[in-house]
Amino acid sequence: MKSNGWAFIMPAMVMIGLFMIYPILSSLWMSLQTGRGMNLSFGGFDNLLRLTEDPVFLQALLNTGTFLVVQVPIMIVLALLMATLLNNPDLKFRGLLRTAIFLPCVTSLVAYAILFKSMFALDGVVNQTLIGLYLIDQPIPWLSDPFWAKVLVIIGITWRWTGYNMIFYLAALQNIDRSIYEAARVDGVPPRAVFFRLTIPMLKPVILFTCVMSTIGTLQLFDEVVNLTEGGPGDATLTLSMYIYNLTFKFMPSFGYAATVSYVIVVLVAILSFIQFYVARDRK
């Protein structure tokens, strides 16, 4: 029986070793290497010292942190509000609205980027609408101004992934026992208190899950930035993942330094996930 058990386990263990454990150990060893291209030599912690002196890395870290602090809370709150709205049984066209909100998640990234670039061009529909409503006097340079380029990326990420989180909240809301709300209604609990004192606590596991997953996704942000702004203008929207790509595949590759930057993301994910789990822990 033992030999039969190992026969079933070994293929999975081999695959995990080849495609998970080996790459992790290899990248960890590579992060201790310095040099360009394939001319690598052991440098110890030289790459860590280089991080503190690299203005491009610091800019990418700042940009990623900005997206994390601004975009994730907006996306989580919007997803929760949309799920609450769609959970109303009296809402008409619920199925159509749910599909419309979730559709950006499965839209082709290329089509999504082309649409956004067209909409947010100087003569695009967004600027024309804002001018028509007398909200602005002149077109906003969404793609050429550092500040507005960040805003564009935040809008793009929020538009694309809010529906993904909304599905989790909607499923959780539909699984809450309706008798709890009926009891609160009979006791005369105001709707606002029901939402904040009953609904939110019961959604805490889902809120924790979406916060952790959104944090990880934002720290690994790459596709949307590449297709919308290509990290520009300048390095205004450059993220850590895009900087790793540039170090690996653009100009003269610096594999060791790129591996070091990747472990910065790993450390940030671990620290922020721990903080989120700690804050959401059950308190007796």
Side-chain angles (χ1 to χ4, degrees):
M1 291 295 295
K2 292 183 178 180
S3 60
N4 291 337
W6 279 108
F8 281 106
I9 294 175
M10 282 307 296
M13 296 296 292
V14 171
M15 297 296 289
I16 292 174
L18 285 176
F19 297 104
M20 183 176 292
I21 297 177
Y22 173 73
I24 291 175
L25 295 178
S26 179
S27 63
L28 183 60
W29 172 251
M30 188 177 292
S31 67
L32 301 176
Q33 309 290 312
T34 58
R36 295 282 188 172
M38 300 306 296
N39 297 320
L40 299 177
S41 60
F42 182 78
F45 297 104
D46 290 349
N47 287 327
L48 291 177
L49 297 176
R50 180 179 171 183
L51 289 176
T52 61
E53 302 172 352
D54 183 359
V56 180
F57 165 77
L58 296 177
Q59 181 64 49
L61 181 63
L62 177 62
N63 294 339
T64 304
T66 301
F67 294 141
L68 180 67
V69 171
V70 177
Q71 177 262 329
V72 170
I74 292 175
M75 185 168 61
I76 296 300
V77 172
L78 279 179
L80 180 57
L81 293 178
M82 290 178 180
T84 303
L85 176 65
L86 292 174
N87 193 47
N88 182 2
D90 298 326
L91 181 67
K92 294 183 178 180
F93 308 110
R94 283 201 302 167
L96 179 61
L97 290 173
R98 183 171 59 244
T99 302
I101 296 172
F102 184 74
L103 187 61
C105 300
V106 295
T107 303
S108 168
L109 185 59
V110 175
Y112 144 75
I114 293 174
L115 174 65
F116 259 66
K117 284 186 175 181
S118 174
M119 290 175 57
F120 288 88
L122 280 177
D123 57 349
V125 64
V126 173
N127 278 331
Q128 295 302 318
T129 301
L130 293 176
I131 292 175
L133 295 174
Y134 301 102
L135 296 177
I136 58 175
D137 297 326
Q138 55 185 2
I140 297 175
W142 297 97
L143 297 171
S144 57
D145 182 82
F147 173 79
W148 290 112
K150 287 187 176 70
V151 174
L152 175 59
V153 171
I154 292 172
I155 293 174
I157 303 170
T158 303
W159 178 83
R160 184 171 173 79
W161 293 114
T162 296
Y164 176 81
N165 290 322
M166 179 205 70
I167 293 298
F168 292 103
Y169 289 125
L170 185 58
L173 286 170
Q174 292 175 348
N175 284 324
I176 295 177
D177 191 349
R178 306 306 301 177
S179 63
I180 298 176
Y181 293 119
E182 290 296 329
R185 183 179 64 81
V186 171
D187 291 340
V189 180
R192 181 177 179 180
V194 170
F195 181 76
F196 286 103
R197 297 295 182 89
L198 292 177
T199 303
I200 295 297
M202 288 187 287
L203 291 179
K204 189 167 70 171
V206 182
I207 294 174
L208 175 61
F209 171 79
T210 54
C211 286
V212 171
M213 296 304 296
S214 298
T215 298
I216 294 173
T218 304
L219 288 174
Q220 296 176 341
L221 183 61
F222 177 79
D223 295 343
E224 288 81 0
V225 174
V226 169
N227 284 275
L228 285 176
T229 63
E230 298 181 359
D235 293 325
T237 58
L238 182 71
T239 62
L240 291 174
S241 293
M242 190 173 179
Y243 188 41
I244 294 171
Y245 171 83
N246 292 342
L247 289 170
T248 306
F249 298 106
K250 282 190 174 183
F251 314 116
M252 178 64 74
S254 182
F255 299 117
Y257 189 53
T260 304
V261 177
S262 69
Y263 273 96
V264 172
I265 297 179
V266 172
V267 172
L268 289 175
V269 167
I271 293 174
L272 294 176
S273 298
F274 173 79
I275 292 174
Q276 290 170 342
F277 276 101
Y278 180 80
V279 172
R281 76 191 190 282
D282 290 329
R283 295 178 174 87
K284 300 298 182 182

